[in-house]
Amino acid sequence: DFCLTRAWISASEDPVVGANRKGPAFWQCVKSKFDALYELEAEVIQMFDYKSLTNRWLRHINKDVQLFLKYWKSATKEPPSGTTESDWMTTATDNYLQEVGSAFRFEDCFRVLKESPKFCIESNTEAQALANQEGRNSTEVAMGGSLQRPIGNKAAMTLKTDSSSSITSTAS
């Protein structure tokens, strides 16, 4: 699940291709990234096709992480003074267990996904106002300034072209 999560993030945040892929092409990309990660980290290699990865992501990981995100937001909205991220995670998992009736199984996946722009906690009105005053992105302000803007499509294409041309000229 953790390898699938990392592969999904890598494929979804690829600045060269961006969002210019249809569903099957996107999931084929996720599968190739998953295979590379899985081969490095797994002791036993199992064969998964992209449809089984898609199913696992949509029906289990994404669904549960999105639900857990609601409890995470609640735990971190106005945390008591002196609490830590570990305390917030405990509160969120306890609330998830109480409401859903089963333990949250994707904590490792959540920890990676919460750093991804798609899963960022939405900014509130105060963060939006502060962002406007400082000329910054409201999500960056809401997340404590820890997010950096990803490289754009044109810049990524330029980097890719430059690196491939330098390899070609070095080989000559």
Side-chain angles (χ1 to χ4, degrees), residues 8-26:
W8 182 88
I9 289 172
S10 179
S12 66
E13 294 179 356
D14 182 354
V16 175
V17 179
N20 297 330
R21 290 178 278 203
K22 301 267 186 219
F26 171 77

Side-chain angles (χ1 to χ4, degrees), residues 125-147:
T125 309
E126 292 173 20
Q128 182 68 46
L130 183 58
N132 290 340
Q133 289 173 353
E134 297 178 1
R136 296 192 313 172
N137 181 318
S138 61
T139 304
E140 178 184 359
V141 172
M143 295 295 291
S146 61
L147 284 180

Side-chain angles (χ1 to χ4, degrees), residues 36-123:
L37 288 168
Y38 195 75
E39 189 174 324
L40 292 173
E41 296 188 13
E43 294 177 10
V44 177
I45 301 298
Q46 295 180 358
M47 298 304 290
F48 298 101
D49 66 352
Y50 83 92
K51 289 181 181 179
S52 65
L53 295 177
T54 304
N55 183 48
R56 180 73 181 157
W57 175 260
L58 294 174
R59 289 188 174 190
H60 301 284
I61 300 170
N62 188 44
K63 179 183 167 207
D64 287 359
V65 169
Q66 290 287 350
L67 181 58
F68 181 77
L69 187 59
K70 176 176 89 171
Y71 301 107
W72 174 258
K73 287 178 184 179
S74 175
T76 59
K77 186 172 185 175
E78 292 181 16
S81 178
T83 58
T84 64
E85 186 171 329
S86 177
D87 298 327
W88 307 334
M89 184 61 79
T90 301
T91 301
T93 53
D94 289 348
N95 291 342
Y96 181 94
L97 175 62
Q98 185 177 3
E99 291 291 321
V100 176
S102 62
F104 181 59
R105 305 174 299 179
F106 302 110
E107 188 173 326
D108 290 340
C109 298
F110 174 75
R111 289 184 188 281
V112 173
L113 286 167
K114 74 182 180 80
E115 302 301 326
S116 173
K118 177 177 168 52
F119 287 85
C120 283
I121 297 171
E122 289 115 24
S123 59

